[in-house]
Amino acid sequence: MGLSWYQYASRLPLAMNLGKVRTATATLPAQDQKTVERISQETFAHNRDNIDRTRAYLSFYQKHPQIHWALLAHLVSRNAGWSMTDLRGELLPRLLRTKEQQDYFSFLERGNWLIFNDAYPQLLLYEESVRRQTNLFYLLPHLGVSTFMQAIWNHFWKTTDKELLAIGLIINEQNYLEEQVMKDSGYQNSVVRTLPFALQELLHLNMILLPQRKVADGQGGSLQLAGERVFHFASLRERISLGKRLYSLLFGGTNRQEAAYAWALDQPHTGSRKDYWPHLFHDVNDTAPGKPYQLKLMNCQLHPRAKRLFSPTLRQVWRPIHHEPPKELDWYKNKSDVWRVLTRPEETANAAEMSEAYCQALAKIEWAVAARTRILG
């Protein structure tokens, strides 16, 4: 899915003109002011928690499938929800203290909230532009969106370049996350620099899963897990690279997009990993309290008579929280070399079936829990 040299060269004028976008400073006409207010209100209404955000991305993609990023955002947001509920599920609470669980949730929730707060207004403004059949992207600065994305959307409006728009959104959201969260000293000290955060990467426990419907086999299986491992999450460059690989994996010329979309439509997002693997996970805790942990898994199957792993729904264990407004900044300032990332040929995605890798990760966590139980009694 890499760019040809012709495509690469054709995008240089866009990249070189990114810094020339002007931000409107005059008072907005009444109709534009109403549009900005309505979009802000609608974004707020859908940004209550991970469940609402994830649903909103999918709903938008249903109406506008040309905006590839919306489906990718939906699937990645599902993963954020699963990571949130893992913190209160069967295994991680046996490894993390209550404060660590809360800190990790705050980190995940803040990032999920911020990206939606920045990206969803862009999607709604595109929708309004289509409805009125006119380019309204001059309103993006009034919604707090970077000048970088104003240039990207203007380019998309002229060319309908779906791939460049998706990559532009990936770059934008990760730079936005970098400035709003990753550079925040509170999150640096409570999450990013902590031993549990490092251990996740060391043990390869972090991965983004893209469930895809497949024809049932003789053993009753009906789902394939594609995806990518997450390495060096604290690195902006690596997060952008990961986003590009996931996009290539999802829209790279196979039927994965159709299979993932079909599954997403059939399976509402709850935050429980039961959504994709009900044979291993249950949103009811069947484990008797107070007993030492007994290993439940062997070769990605439950031991005889073992109960399924507890994976709660998000709203069972986490309540919506109040968020402070984001910092008022445009990350693109002083980053005019970002076009090199935008126009670089797409990396080849080499991760397809992740079921085995995810099973191995679960087994590692189980062994860590069992070892901790033996040590601490």
Side-chain angles (χ1 to χ4, degrees), residues 339-352:
W339 65 269
R340 297 180 185 275
V341 184
L342 182 68
T343 56
R344 191 172 61 194
E346 190 62 63
E347 300 168 59
T348 302
N350 56 14

Side-chain angles (χ1 to χ4, degrees), residues 187-199:
Y187 290 117
Q188 283 282 331
N189 295 327
S190 66
V191 176
V192 178
R193 294 175 180 169
T194 64
L195 179 60
F197 191 85
L199 281 175

Side-chain angles (χ1 to χ4, degrees), residues 111-292:
N112 199 233
W113 183 90
L114 281 165
I115 287 177
F116 188 89
N117 191 64
D118 183 71
Y120 198 63
Q122 299 178 50
L123 304 183
L124 294 180
L125 191 59
Y126 168 75
E127 187 172 62
E128 182 67 8
S129 295
V130 171
R131 189 183 72 81
R132 288 163 54 178
Q133 297 185 335
T134 187
N135 182 333
L136 297 174
F137 300 122
Y138 61 88
L139 294 177
L140 286 173
H142 297 274
L143 292 162
V145 178
S146 72
T147 52
F148 174 81
M149 283 312 302
Q150 191 175 349
I152 295 292
W153 279 108
N154 284 335
H155 183 76
F156 177 75
W157 189 256
K158 294 176 183 177
T159 66
T160 66
D161 189 335
K162 303 178 185 68
E163 179 184 330
L164 186 136
L165 175 63
I167 294 173
L169 281 161
I170 289 166
I171 293 169
N172 179 69
E173 299 314 327
Q174 291 307 321
N175 274 280
Y176 185 70
L177 191 69
E178 182 76 6
E179 298 297 328
Q180 298 284 348
V181 175
M182 302 305 292
K183 290 184 177 179
D184 184 277
S185 59
Y187 290 117
Q188 283 282 331
N189 295 327
S190 66
V191 176
V192 178
R193 294 175 180 169
T194 64
L195 179 60
F197 191 85
L199 281 175
Q200 284 194 53
E201 296 196 346
L202 181 64
L203 297 176
H204 298 170
L205 304 180
N206 249 343
M207 53 190 70
I208 303 293
L209 303 175
L210 307 179
Q212 300 165 9
R213 180 200 286 167
K214 68 176 182 179
V215 178
D217 58 32
Q219 298 179 339
S222 60
L223 205 69
Q224 180 183 18
L225 296 181
E228 281 276 352
R229 295 185 187 275
V230 180
F231 297 107
H232 310 299
F233 186 81
S235 164
L236 171 61
R237 173 186 252 179
E238 289 300 322
R239 293 198 310 275
I240 291 173
S241 177
L242 171 65
K244 292 169 72 176
R245 294 197 308 273
L246 287 168
Y247 174 72
S248 180
L249 181 63
L250 189 60
F251 288 95
T254 68
N255 66 346
R256 287 201 182 101
Q257 175 265 328
E258 293 85 354
Y261 181 45
W263 176 80
L265 289 176
D266 282 349
Q267 177 56 61
H269 175 56
T270 72
S272 172
R273 292 189 183 272
K274 178 185 176 183
D275 289 353
Y276 63 87
W277 269 3
H279 67 291
L280 289 188
F281 296 100
H282 195 17
D283 54 13
V284 175
N285 193 351
D286 293 325
T287 302
K291 291 187 177 181

Side-chain angles (χ1 to χ4, degrees), residues 35-180:
T35 297
V36 169
E37 290 174 357
R38 179 186 60 78
I39 287 175
S40 297
Q41 291 168 0
E42 190 170 341
T43 299
F44 178 81
H46 289 291
N47 207 1
R48 177 174 176 265
D49 64 7
N50 171 264
I51 300 298
D52 285 346
R53 291 168 211 135
T54 308
R55 184 186 299 126
Y57 286 135
L58 183 62
S59 177
F60 182 87
Y61 183 75
Q62 287 179 272
K63 294 180 286 186
H64 305 285
Q66 67 274 26
I67 309 300
H68 289 177
W69 183 86
L71 179 60
L72 179 62
H74 167 78
L75 293 168
V76 173
S77 189
R78 282 194 184 238
N79 280 266
W82 294 330
S83 294
M84 291 174 188
T85 59
D86 285 346
L87 295 167
R88 293 291 170 87
E90 178 99 17
L91 299 174
L92 289 189
R94 301 171 187 267
L95 297 175
L96 301 176
R97 296 188 297 270
T98 300
K99 184 182 183 304
E100 289 173 329
Q101 296 169 33
Q102 186 65 53
D103 287 343
Y104 274 68
F105 169 74
S106 177
F107 175 75
L108 292 166
E109 166 66 13
R110 182 64 173 171
N112 199 233
W113 183 90
L114 281 165
I115 287 177
F116 188 89
N117 191 64
D118 183 71
Y120 198 63
Q122 299 178 50
L123 304 183
L124 294 180
L125 191 59
Y126 168 75
E127 187 172 62
E128 182 67 8
S129 295
V130 171
R131 189 183 72 81
R132 288 163 54 178
Q133 297 185 335
T134 187
N135 182 333
L136 297 174
F137 300 122
Y138 61 88
L139 294 177
L140 286 173
H142 297 274
L143 292 162
V145 178
S146 72
T147 52
F148 174 81
M149 283 312 302
Q150 191 175 349
I152 295 292
W153 279 108
N154 284 335
H155 183 76
F156 177 75
W157 189 256
K158 294 176 183 177
T159 66
T160 66
D161 189 335
K162 303 178 185 68
E163 179 184 330
L164 186 136
L165 175 63
I167 294 173
L169 281 161
I170 289 166
I171 293 169
N172 179 69
E173 299 314 327
Q174 291 307 321
N175 274 280
Y176 185 70
L177 191 69
E178 182 76 6
E179 298 297 328
Q180 298 284 348

Side-chain angles (χ1 to χ4, degrees), residues 344-364:
R344 191 172 61 194
E346 190 62 63
E347 300 168 59
T348 302
N350 56 14
E353 175 57 40
M354 293 290 286
S355 297
E356 183 176 351
Y358 183 62
C359 287
Q360 291 173 356
L362 277 177
K364 288 179 180 179

